[in-house]
Amino acid sequence: MDRIKNYRQGAQIAFALKFLLAIAITRFSDFVPDEHWQSTEVAYFLHFGRGHLTWEWYANIRSYIPPLIILIVYKIASVFNCDGSFVILVKVPQVLQLALSAVGWNYFSRFASARVGSNAGKLATIFMLVSWFTTFCGARLISNQTEMSLNCIALYLFEIGDLTKFSFIMGLNFALRPTAAILWLPFLPEFCGKLKDKTFKNLLKCLKFAALPLVGALALDSIMTSSLSITWLEFFKFNFLSGGSAEFGVHSPYWYLYSGLPSVLGPLLAFLPFGYFCSKKTRLLTIYATFYIVVYSFIPHKEIRFLLPVTPLLFPICASVVSTLIKKGVQTNKIDGHFGTYLKFAVKLFIGLNLGATIFLGFFHQCGVKRATADISEKISQMDAPRVWIMTPCYAVPIFSHIHHPNIELEYYKCAPKEFRHLYTNGSAYPLIQPNGFATVDLHQDISKKLAGAKAPHFILAFQEHVPKIIASFDKAGYEYKVCVTYFHSFIKDFARAVEILCNS
């Protein structure tokens, strides 16, 4: 009893620390553009009537459910006249996402214990709590994190046989992100086995519950776009039938094997293949996870965040293998030998690497953008009509939700697939379009033409490597700018090393 009590107390403390760490990380670091441009920036546009929608919202491949939740927060805050504060615009939505993540982590712990046993379930929970990946993404407003949280809840409901609630969660998950179907397709035989008696009647009931969020999403998205919008179908057509995902980069089919999975699992990756031989339940989880990774390997564009939805399967597999090996080692008195030393070292290495990665990636990688936007927001707060130019690759910086001002004039680069670029060529004397990557942008030409129809900005935000050319281009046009603030951004060579704010000399 004392061990159980100590474990519960330790788990509660660990959950609290993970919660606080996740929200602190989002204060300092950035991850991907979708973190802002599919959430707060959309809600900002809907609430204030100004801002910017990326091409996805015109292509109807995103559901308005996540932005609607944030919009409700903004509407409530407007009643108290505080809808323009940074806390309301950014932090409250992040806290809501983190609350959903915490619920998901809790259900994951229940699922892991029910699926692979108490001891392995506890170890899987430790892996989840320690993981830099789940902490780093826990409070981020990305659909992959929402999908993962809903998967955790659904996995537990599936395990205990509550198929009606499970079906509702799955319908909601599919409405938010259609790729959720990839994880759950191999579960179908097990699902049919759980229907038990009156199979057709129970199946019909599950289908009704699954249809509820889908119909709700259809109604909402159609109202928001003023046309019939089946977002999951448009998503499928763009990313799979037309190969649109390749627009964002093409990676090797083996990328998840040599980069994605090692980054997420670290030394635990060595245990993953043995999940097939560990037990029947673990074998099924291994087959399900393998199916997901194989299917995603055939999609041209790959990102590490696409592994978030499958982590609730990966950690129990690894934990079950480790737990089984420890148990066999104890039974054969070999746990204290070289084998036991390796197991202990692998687990300690996993914990050490994840704590290091959490600190480094959370507080020292891609940490300049938010500091720079906060600085500009403060600088313009007392100005009547500030002018700010964001001279960075398109959507690399959160703009309206982070640089809020009722009368601000903002200029920034926009990009979209060819069929949607026309959306950004109207309503501006010279729109800043980034058609084929920022490296192809002619900064001198863009600045010269933009100044012909617009006043020079009070402040410019740019990545350090582009600043000399930007200053030289404004100098040729008769304007003198200097670097007034520099914020460190990243140690990693492939990323911008610093973010700088330029102001009039």
Side-chain angles (χ1 to χ4, degrees), residues 87-346:
V87 171
I88 296 297
L89 291 175
V90 178
K91 301 312 294 182
V92 171
Q94 288 176 347
V95 170
L96 291 177
Q97 176 72 302
L98 185 54
L100 176 61
S101 298
V103 172
W105 296 334
N106 181 45
Y107 274 95
F108 166 80
S109 179
R110 298 184 190 181
F111 158 73
S113 294
R115 186 77 177 194
V116 297
S118 177
N119 290 333
K122 290 177 182 178
L123 191 57
T125 302
I126 292 173
F127 291 160
M128 173 70 82
L129 288 173
V130 172
S131 171
W132 74 269
F133 192 41
T134 56
T135 305
F136 184 76
C137 299
R140 298 193 185 277
L141 298 166
I142 50 177
S143 57
N144 314 92
Q145 178 61 34
T146 303
E147 182 182 351
M148 175 193 167
S149 299
L150 293 177
N151 279 344
C152 289
I153 299 170
L155 282 167
Y156 175 71
L157 294 173
F158 181 82
E159 190 65 26
I160 65 174
D162 193 343
L163 298 184
T164 51
K165 292 180 182 177
F166 162 80
S167 299
F168 179 84
I169 296 294
M170 279 298 91
L172 177 60
N173 213 353
F174 184 79
L176 295 175
R177 191 164 179 83
T179 48
I182 296 174
L183 182 73
W184 291 100
L185 275 175
F187 278 83
L188 279 176
E190 196 174 349
F191 175 84
C192 292
K194 287 179 177 288
L195 286 174
K196 298 179 181 178
D197 300 329
K198 300 179 181 179
T199 302
F200 181 76
K201 182 179 179 180
N202 289 336
L203 177 61
L204 190 60
K205 185 178 180 180
C206 290
L207 290 175
K208 288 179 180 179
F209 272 80
L212 286 175
L214 289 171
V215 172
L218 174 63
L220 172 64
D221 296 333
S222 298
I223 291 171
M224 298 301 292
T225 59
S226 300
S227 62
L228 182 64
S229 294
I230 309 175
T231 54
W232 64 266
L233 180 60
E234 296 301 323
F235 181 94
F236 177 79
K237 287 163 59 178
F238 177 83
N239 285 286
F240 294 92
L241 297 185
S242 65
S245 69
E247 293 262 359
F248 310 104
V250 177
H251 301 80
S252 165
Y254 310 105
W255 187 87
Y256 288 115
L257 297 180
Y258 68 75
S259 182
L261 286 172
S263 299
V264 173
L265 295 178
L268 295 183
L269 181 61
F271 301 112
L272 190 62
F274 297 99
Y276 185 84
F277 308 99
C278 192
S279 68
K280 182 179 179 180
K281 288 188 174 182
T282 310
R283 181 181 299 122
L284 288 173
L285 292 183
T286 306
I287 292 172
Y288 301 157
T290 302
F291 178 84
Y292 180 93
I293 293 166
V294 168
V295 172
Y296 262 83
S297 294
F298 283 99
I299 300 174
H301 180 64
K302 298 171 179 65
E303 293 185 42
I304 190 173
R305 63 190 174 106
F306 296 161
L307 290 175
L308 270 170
V310 78
T311 51
L313 301 185
L314 300 179
F315 288 132
I317 294 170
C318 295
S320 184
V321 173
V322 172
S323 181
T324 300
L325 292 175
I326 291 175
K327 184 178 179 180
K328 288 183 177 180
V330 170
Q331 291 173 347
T332 57
N333 296 319
K334 293 181 179 180
I335 193 66
D336 294 326
H338 294 295
F339 183 68
T341 301
Y342 171 75
L343 283 177
K344 294 174 183 177
F345 175 75

Side-chain angles (χ1 to χ4, degrees), residues 71-86:
L71 178 62
I72 292 172
V73 172
Y74 291 175
K75 293 297 183 184
I76 294 173
S78 67
V79 175
F80 302 96
N81 198 30
C82 60
D83 53 335
S85 72
F86 178 78

